Amino acid sequence: MHELSIVLSIIDEIGDESEARDLHDVEVVHLKVGVFSGVDRNALLFAWELACEGTPLERSHLDIETVPLVIYCANCHQNLTPPSLYQLCCPECETPSQTIISGRELEVVSLEVAA
Amino acid sequence: MSTRIVEVRAKILKQNDLLAHALRERFQTSGVSVVGLVSSPGSGKTAFLEKLLSGLARDFRVAALVGDLATENDAARLKRATPNVRQITTGTICHLDAQMIEKALEGWQLDALDFLFIENVGNLVCPSSYDLGEELRFVMLSATEGEDKPLKYPTIFNSSDVAIITKMDIAEAADFDVTTARRNIESVRPGMQIFEVSAKTGSGMLDVFQLLHDQHAHSRETRPALQIEATQ
Ligand SMILES: Nc1nc2c(ncn2[C@@H]2O[C@H](COP(=O)(O)OP(=O)(O)O)[C@@H](O)[C@H]2O)c(=O)[nH]1
Ligand SMILES: [Mg+2]
Ligand SMILES: [Zn+2]
């Protein structure tokens, strides 16, 4: 499980932002996590609780937007979601595709802080 | 209490990505081809690497970094082929990251090397998120672990460049269906190059050596001009 390492990176990022922009009392951390990022949503939530206990982020929580896998089909000239994470092909014409448009995201999108 | 939203838009692993990017540039200017190896524990990364190192050491200057949770056993095995081996013991961390690589390389003269191999911690999940600056990533699957591994771990198979099916010497005894395994790899990573090898008998290794020769020749050709030349 590497979600704890991921969470520590998020906390670092929040620390940098808080300092640079003088933010206090972060309440919600909005993330984008792609289904193909290798990071598990539940493990991330669990690691967050664990890592924030007894810190200024203790009362904050994660809001995770799950980004689906989208590939480009060179045959249909369209971006589409493949039939599953283990079938990287077009759901309509079955042409294999290795052009990933989205699904690998691992980003801090925004913070909700006390006004 | 009211709240306000502050835009951040930052990649979570940007520190690792930046460092990996810097490493990749360093590897390119030094002319060293760097290959990462990932697989489940026990698939045969170290055995395969022993064969690679001893096969390549005749014509090339080779080195290896090997990650493991504990013990220096793998490094000791690889040192039979080349003295340029360093163990990275990660403790509780289930993957290597770019910072560990940078640290492990301290004091090494990279331009005195042709190949550097990096054996990751045995794990098919966590290493997929961490770029190590490698030029090629090999994902390994052994004949004893079932044909459907690629379907269960699509992220790591998809993020790798080459698949190595190993322990082919015992494929029959393990009822391993290599056609199905190939189809599954192709499904998660269309167009991926696949090699069938045995580190025990050495079968299939020649094709891997050929790939590495070609890769090395190619990266030497496309090697960026050294900075000294640019400033002169
Ligand atoms: N029969 C056979 N056994 C192998 C082969 N490669 C590795 N092994 C055995 O598999 C076990 C694990 O191999 P090792 O290289 O340590 O795997 P690692 O954990 O991925 O580095 C050892 O007992 C090896 O001797 C192979 O090609 N054929
Ligand atoms: Mg090993
Ligand atoms: Zn299509």
Side-chain angles (χ1 to χ4, degrees), chain A residues 1-2 5-6 9-10 13 17 21-23 27 30-32 35-39 85-88 96-98 100 104 106-115, chain B residues 1-15 92-95 123 125-130 150-152 154-155 158-159 184 186-190:
Chain A
M1 181 177 117
H2 64 309
S5 311
I6 303 282
S9 301
I10 301 173
E13 178 63 33
E17 288 289 329
R21 304 208 222 168
D22 196 26
L23 309 175
E27 296 184 7
H30 294 276
L31 304 181
K32 260 189 191 172
V35 292
F36 227 45
S37 66
V39 171
L85 295 188
Y86 52 86
Q87 291 164 287
L88 284 252
S97 168
Q98 180 46 32
I100 294 180
R104 289 196 187 282
L106 206 49
E107 290 169 24
V108 181
V109 179
S110 60
L111 305 175
E112 263 177 65
V113 300
Chain B
M1 201 168 70
S2 62
T3 60
R4 66 191 169 99
I5 300 227
V6 182
E7 292 275 330
V8 178
R9 301 225 162 265
K11 285 198 172 160
I12 292 171
L13 291 177
K14 72 170 182 226
Q15 296 300 341
T92 56
I93 301 175
C94 50
H95 58 267
N123 184 332
V125 181
C126 311
S128 72
S129 306
Y130 294 86
L151 307 183
K152 291 178 181 165
T155 312
N158 187 275
S159 71
N184 291 344
E186 176 66 25
S187 175
V188 296
R189 175 49 151 124

Side-chain angles (χ1 to χ4, degrees), chain A residues 71-78 80 89-96:
Chain A
I71 52 137
Y72 174 73
C73 175
N75 185 35
C76 305
H77 305 288
Q78 284 190 76
L80 303 130
C89 66
C90 176
E92 286 171 16
C93 72
E94 293 182 9
T95 303

Side-chain angles (χ1 to χ4, degrees), chain A residues 25-45:
Chain A
D25 300 320
V26 175
E27 296 184 7
V28 187
V29 180
H30 294 276
L31 304 181
K32 260 189 191 172
V33 176
V35 292
F36 227 45
S37 66
V39 171
D40 179 71
R41 177 194 173 89
N42 288 326
L44 202 59
L45 291 169

